[in-house]
Amino acid sequence: MQKLERDEWQNEAPVLASLNKPRELLAPDNYFAALPELVQNKLSSGKVVSIQSRLWFRLAAAAAIIALVVNFLRPDTNEFSGEISLSEVEQSTLDNYLDVEFSAYLDEDDLAEIVSNENNRSFSFSASTEELTLYLEEEADTDDMAELFAEN
Amino acid sequence: MIEKSDKELLALFLQGDNANKAFSLIVQKHQRKLYAIIRRVLIDHDDTNDVLQNTFIKAWNGLSSFREEAQLSTWLYRIASNETLSFLRQSKRDRHLSIDQLYTDSNYSVGNAIGPSAEEIEKKLHHAIQQLPEKQRLVFTMKYYEDLTYEQMSDILGTSVGALKASFHIAAKKIEEEITNGALNLSPANASNNK
């Protein structure tokens, strides 16, 4: 059994530190042999399940990101309040970016608070500079977002 | 056969003609490690399978614009982490059922045979981990099970090393309390006897 590196947490959790690591949870037989083909088949068929598949969610998420970037790049104001037009942004770029980078951090509940009409392609958003900066520092890759914003 | 490096596989993918083959090789190369960490968090194989397939599909969609500032493995871990957290946040299932099922499921396979006493401890540990908030559970799993360094985790999760250390320490302390309370009433000495 591989021994965990000695770390100060072990002083606070001596029982946990003294346990053997639990057993590996193994996949069914032949699962890994079949997975590459399963993924390829799914890609070929176009039957890709998206956790955030509803259009309004994608549009709102994209708008939220842009709003955050706008505010982040304009730190001279204490408050951001404005309307974002999604028609200025290539949808596929945003879809892909959101899928890869932000799917864990934005969900429908979060966005329901700022989106009132699912058919809107724009929304108004207001938050303090401090709140948004904290969000960006903790959860977002600002270089990526700045680049995305610059491209558009 | 010599395994191709991520850089070689990426170059093959970007050539276009062999994109499907290159991507299959990428899946083959990284699937086990990604599966292991997702499965540790989600417990259930079917859930893990769904999340892992989504991970690779999103990787396919984003691979042509992948920048080599990060390692491919780190990028894949990041997608898998996001997918796992999304799943946890949106899942309507009772996660605790998965653990009980795990120990009664005849299809459950283990890496090493261990005695019933150790199994009881293991079950308690699984329960304790499932009580953690989603992101803390992921941090704990990456460190405790996968032995990732805080720096690697920072690259994957986009969180500072300090915040990750704090998160892991809090998680370890919570689990310690959970496994030392209740029926098992373990002391470090007793726990060592299960090795």
Side-chain angles (χ1 to χ4, degrees):
Chain A
M1 175 65 66
Q2 188 181 2
K3 187 72 182 169
L4 285 174
E5 69 176 277
R6 198 69 200 169
D7 202 347
E8 58 266 33
W9 71 267
Q10 295 178 325
N11 296 326
E12 296 174 25
V15 173
L16 177 63
S18 65
L19 291 176
N20 279 332
K21 282 188 194 177
R23 300 164 289 179
E24 184 181 356
L25 304 178
L26 300 182
D29 290 345
N30 299 319
Y31 173 71
F32 292 116
L35 185 61
E37 193 176 339
L38 276 175
V39 172
Q40 289 287 357
N41 289 343
K42 213 165 190 177
L43 287 166
S44 302
S45 68
K47 292 177 182 174
V48 176
V49 178
S50 175
I51 293 171
Q52 297 91 21
S53 57
R54 285 195 283 173
L55 178 62
W56 74 267
F57 173 82
R58 291 174 166 274
L59 296 177
I65 297 300
I66 295 168
L68 291 171
V69 173
V70 168
N71 193 57
F72 185 74
L73 295 176
R74 301 164 108 180
D76 53 318
T77 57
N78 291 326
E79 182 101 356
F80 171 78
S81 181
E83 189 163 297
I84 302 298
S85 172
L86 290 171
S87 60
E88 297 170 9
V89 181
E90 191 179 334
Q91 189 60 48
S92 61
T93 302
L94 288 166
D95 281 349
N96 183 52
Y97 188 81
L98 291 165
D99 275 348
V100 171
E101 302 289 348
F102 281 93
S103 57
Y105 301 112
L106 298 173
D107 65 13
E108 295 180 11
D109 291 337
D110 296 334
L111 288 156
E113 294 177 10
I114 57 172
V115 178
S116 57
N117 185 344
E118 67 182 64
N119 295 317
N120 274 348
R121 285 187 63 84
S122 63
F123 80 110
S124 295
F125 180 78
S126 180
S128 72
T129 301
E130 189 180 355
E131 288 171 333
L132 292 176
T133 304
L134 183 64
Y135 174 86
L136 287 165
E137 286 176 352
E138 287 295 316
E139 305 287 23
D141 184 330
T142 53
D143 291 340
D144 285 348
M145 290 203 295
E147 185 176 313
L148 176 68
F149 185 72
E151 286 174 359
N152 294 285
Chain B
M1 188 176 124
I2 299 173
E3 191 177 66
K4 284 184 163 43
S5 69
D6 285 343
K7 208 175 179 70
E8 290 170 324
L9 291 173
L10 191 58
L12 193 62
F13 177 85
L14 294 174
Q15 282 172 12
D17 294 343
N18 293 309
N20 285 347
K21 183 185 173 188
F23 191 72
S24 282
L25 292 172
I26 289 171
V27 173
Q28 279 177 33
K29 184 174 178 181
H30 294 281
Q31 59 185 355
R32 289 174 188 274
K33 276 189 174 291
L34 294 174
Y35 178 90
I37 198 162
I38 296 168
R39 180 83 192 268
R40 281 294 185 194
V41 176
L42 299 183
I43 302 294
D44 181 76
H45 166 73
D46 292 333
D47 292 344
T48 304
N49 178 44
D50 289 344
V51 170
L52 185 57
Q53 288 195 32
N54 268 353
T55 295
F56 283 123
I57 285 161
K58 290 191 175 178
W60 167 274
N61 291 333
L63 199 55
S64 57
S65 57
F66 171 69
R67 292 162 299 164
E68 294 184 63
E69 292 163 6
Q71 289 185 15
L72 182 60
S73 58
T74 300
W75 185 69
L76 290 171
Y77 264 120
R78 188 182 305 157
I79 299 171
S81 300
N82 286 346
E83 285 299 299
T84 304
L85 289 172
S86 282
F87 183 90
L88 285 170
R89 290 176 72 174
Q90 297 179 35
S91 173
K92 303 297 181 195
R93 297 188 194 184
D94 183 349
R95 312 304 312 158
H96 306 296
L97 277 179
S98 297
I99 303 165
D100 293 331
Q101 286 164 353
L102 178 70
Y103 288 91
T104 55
D105 186 350
S106 59
N107 291 323
Y108 174 47
S109 303
V110 297
N112 301 297
I114 60 171
S117 179
E119 184 172 293
E120 194 180 355
I121 296 169
E122 187 178 315
K123 188 175 180 181
K124 190 117 177 147
L125 179 56
H126 276 305
H127 273 292
I129 292 169
Q130 297 301 305
Q131 306 302 315
L132 299 173
E134 291 98 2
K135 201 163 182 182
Q136 211 170 71
R137 196 186 312 174
L138 190 61
V139 168
F140 182 83
T141 302
M142 285 179 162
K143 182 68 181 163
Y144 183 75
Y145 289 117
E146 302 301 317
D147 278 339
L148 297 184
T149 66
Y150 287 117
E151 287 73 20
Q152 287 172 313
M153 291 160 62
S154 177
D155 287 341
I156 293 164
L157 299 173
T159 306
S160 69
V161 168
L164 290 169
K165 280 186 179 177
S167 181
F168 181 77
H169 279 233
I170 291 167
K173 207 166 179 177
K174 283 182 190 171
I175 290 170
E176 179 83 358
E177 288 171 5
E178 184 74 23
I179 61 178
T180 52
N181 287 337
L184 286 177
N185 194 25
L186 291 169
S187 68
N190 290 340
S192 298
N193 289 338
N194 287 291
K195 289 187 177 179

